[in-house]
Amino acid sequence: MRRVGSGAAGAPAPLDLEGLHVEVALRLASLDQRYTANRRAILEAIAHAGRPVTIPEILERAGGVPQSSAYRNISVLCEARVARRVAGADDHGRFELAEDLSGHHHHHLVCWSCGRVTDIAAFPRLEQALAEAARLAASETGYEVDDHRIDLGGRCPACLGAC
Amino acid sequence: MRRVGSGAAGAPAPLDLEGLHVEVALRLASLDQRYTANRRAILEAIAHAGRPVTIPEILERAGGVPQSSAYRNISVLCEARVARRVAGADDHGRFELAEDLSGHHHHHLVCWSCGRVTDIAAFPRLEQALAEAARLAASETGYEVDDHRIDLGGRCPACLGAC
DNA sequence: CTCAGTGCAAAGGATTTGCATGCCG
DNA sequence: CGGCATGCAAATCCTTTGCACTGAG
């Protein structure tokens, strides 16, 4: 589990767990939701992964949380804008910490062979061009554009090796 | 490589169905696959949609094709690089014609409220910045990057109205 | 005490697969 | 002919839900 693009090994973005929990509790509270042990476990599993994780991965990392609770709580965390659902190569749910909590805007590098997803840092130039494109697209289509996703696709080193 | 159609910017390029079928047959043949009636029906359904469609939508448009055949054939068409799977707001499969067949590189505008996906034209500046980002990401991660996807997210006019 | 959260099990949907048959090459 | 493609049905897999129970406020 490594992050690409920011910080030293192990502790990339200054993830202040304590502050994180406080903020999460706050956001949950605003929806009249509690910050329970299960939710903490799931939140930490996601926060520590450093890349989008699937439900099975969350279950492994959050040990002891039943599947149904994981699904239910992930859903709550997403509603509270604490987590975010992202799509990988396959059509199975992957989740990551909300960007305003993880502290760094990033995009994804997806291996279309094994489905692995790696975070990559955002590029200012890219963001700028994208913002412009979003404005134009919004005015052309009438959509209210408030988010974007950039995924690069390819094959990861492991899959390249297994060629 | 061939390009089908000659459309001006904005309007969907008029699809040359005949040439399209020839090219598709060719790509299938290279995988020792036949271009059967079902596959034609599915291909045309996708080609005419002008935006990523779900399996149910394909079934409607391709009338008479059984679900299992649709799934199996979509899979084959994707392997043959004739179709492409794209992810929408939910985690259900959406498919579109390969870009080198539809003739215009584009991105997607996804409504996270109703799941609708609208094609939007690509922006040169964005593509350029993206290419640069891809190069850098590849060298940092060891991935072989050969594809990208940009999705803008927001709410479509209909959903904005239903607010 | 009350209500949100929990956990189990069963339900639901989408997607995949086994198998006998049909059709193209 | 031989093998790929087909259709149907059954199997799988991921995800959601119903319901009774537990725990925090």
Side-chain angles (χ1 to χ4, degrees):
Chain A
M1 319 344 89
R2 44 188 307 218
R3 285 207 195 179
V4 179
S6 74
L15 253 187
D16 167 10
L17 254 197
E18 193 173 330
L20 181 57
H21 283 314
V22 171
E23 176 62 24
V24 170
L26 215 55
R27 296 192 189 186
L28 284 171
S30 77
L31 294 178
D32 289 307
Q33 301 278 351
R34 299 173 194 157
Y35 195 23
T36 64
N38 275 347
R39 292 176 183 175
R40 265 171 211 271
I42 292 171
L43 194 280
E44 292 197 2
I46 295 177
H48 285 137
R51 62 185 174 79
V53 287
T54 61
I55 291 285
E57 286 171 329
I58 291 175
L59 292 179
E60 270 176 37
R61 292 157 180 271
V65 178
Q67 216 181 32
S68 66
S69 293
Y71 277 107
R72 244 185 305 231
N73 285 323
I74 271 287
S75 167
V76 170
L77 292 174
C78 287
E79 275 170 37
R81 302 275 180 171
V82 156
R84 186 162 90 124
R85 164 177 240 143
V86 305
D90 44 32
D91 275 330
H92 299 153
R94 281 176 182 271
F95 302 86
E96 65 181 9
L97 196 58
E99 290 195 325
D100 60 341
L101 291 180
S102 66
H104 67 303
H105 181 51
H106 65 275
H107 299 306
H108 301 300
L109 191 43
V110 180
C111 176
W112 48 253
S113 180
C114 69
R116 177 171 207 82
V117 180
T118 303
D119 283 2
I120 54 179
F123 297 83
R125 259 174 56 89
L126 191 52
E127 294 303 315
Q128 189 184 333
L130 191 54
E132 186 184 327
R135 260 196 312 280
L136 188 47
S139 74
E140 276 186 5
T141 62
Y143 271 64
E144 176 187 280
V145 179
D146 62 6
D147 190 22
H148 68 256
R149 181 172 70 194
I150 297 181
D151 297 340
L152 296 178
R155 302 217 299 158
C156 70
C159 289
L160 282 174
C163 214
Chain B
M1 147 180 0
R2 68 189 305 286
R3 282 227 155 170
V4 186
S6 58
L15 281 179
D16 168 8
L17 257 195
E18 194 172 330
L20 181 58
H21 282 314
V22 171
E23 176 63 23
V24 170
L26 215 56
R27 296 193 189 185
L28 285 171
S30 78
L31 293 178
D32 289 307
Q33 301 278 353
R34 299 172 193 158
Y35 195 25
T36 64
N38 273 348
R39 292 176 183 176
R40 266 170 211 272
I42 293 171
L43 193 281
E44 293 197 3
I46 295 177
H48 284 138
R51 63 185 174 78
V53 287
T54 62
I55 291 284
E57 285 172 329
I58 291 174
L59 292 178
E60 270 177 36
R61 292 159 180 269
V65 178
Q67 216 180 33
S68 67
S69 293
Y71 277 107
R72 242 184 308 229
N73 286 323
I74 271 288
S75 167
V76 170
L77 292 175
C78 286
E79 275 170 35
R81 303 274 181 171
V82 156
R84 187 162 90 125
R85 162 178 240 142
V86 306
D90 44 32
D91 274 331
H92 297 154
R94 283 175 181 271
F95 302 86
E96 66 180 7
L97 196 58
E99 290 196 325
D100 59 340
L101 291 180
S102 67
H104 65 300
H105 181 51
H106 65 274
H107 299 305
H108 301 299
L109 193 42
V110 180
C111 177
W112 48 254
S113 179
C114 69
R116 175 170 209 82
V117 179
T118 303
D119 284 1
I120 54 179
F123 297 83
R125 194 174 353 280
L126 189 54
E127 294 303 315
Q128 189 184 334
L130 191 54
E132 186 184 326
R135 260 197 310 280
L136 188 48
S139 75
E140 276 187 8
T141 63
Y143 270 64
E144 176 188 279
V145 179
D146 62 7
D147 189 23
H148 68 257
R149 182 172 69 194
I150 298 180
D151 297 339
L152 296 178
R155 301 218 297 158
C156 70
C159 290
L160 281 174
C163 210

